[in-house]
Amino acid sequence: QVQLVESGGGLVQPGGSLRLSCAASLSSFSRAAMAWYRQAPGKQRELVATIATNYVTHYVDSVKGRFTVSRDNTANTLYLQMNSLKPEDTAVYYCNSVLFGLSRWGQGTQVTVSS
């Protein structure tokens, strides 16, 4: 059974950093398009960053220059390095994979930015 397991969330002060990880039990991880989404309380889930199989990345405007998405195909792991965090970054962050037209989600990890 395919699983995506996020980790690395927590409580951080404004201006701080966190690194999220998503461990994927996908046998063809290198062929999957991967992404990070987030959902704040009372808001819809939004796309944060994507990384394609050719390592091309895309970011939502609100995180450009602060967040970096990367992938390690040898470790079947997706990462999100988050710097200069702001209170508005507070949300549950979800890992998503799309492989052979099938979309999968992790269970999410909470990120709280507060002083």
Side-chain angles (χ1 to χ4, degrees):
Q1 183 176 350
V2 174
Q3 282 190 313
L4 301 176
V5 180
E6 300 96 336
S7 62
L11 173 64
V12 63
Q13 292 187 341
S17 298
L18 283 175
R19 189 192 195 201
L20 305 184
S21 298
C22 171
S25 63
L26 283 169
S27 60
S28 300
F29 179 81
S30 64
R31 300 173 68 180
M34 301 296 298
W36 288 99
Y37 287 75
R38 66 185 178 187
Q39 188 166 19
K43 294 187 177 181
Q44 289 188 331
R45 191 172 297 190
E46 69 166 347
L47 178 65
V48 176
T50 65
I51 183 165
T53 55
N54 61 358
Y55 295 91
V56 172
T57 59
H58 169 81
Y59 300 91
V60 67
D61 286 346
S62 60
V63 308
K64 284 181 179 177
R66 301 188 299 121
F67 290 12
T68 302
V69 61
S70 61
R71 63 192 298 163
D72 183 345
N73 288 343
T74 63
N76 283 15
T77 303
L78 176 72
Y79 301 99
L80 185 67
Q81 178 66 43
M82 305 186 295
N83 299 328
S84 301
L85 282 161
K86 303 175 181 180
E88 51 264 42
D89 295 318
T90 296
V92 178
Y93 283 71
Y94 297 91
C95 172
N96 174 264
S97 70
V98 178
L99 179 64
F100 306 135
L102 186 61
S103 177
R104 297 180 175 92
W105 295 90
Q107 83 290 346
T109 185
Q110 176 71 48
V111 171
T112 303
V113 185
S114 175
S115 55

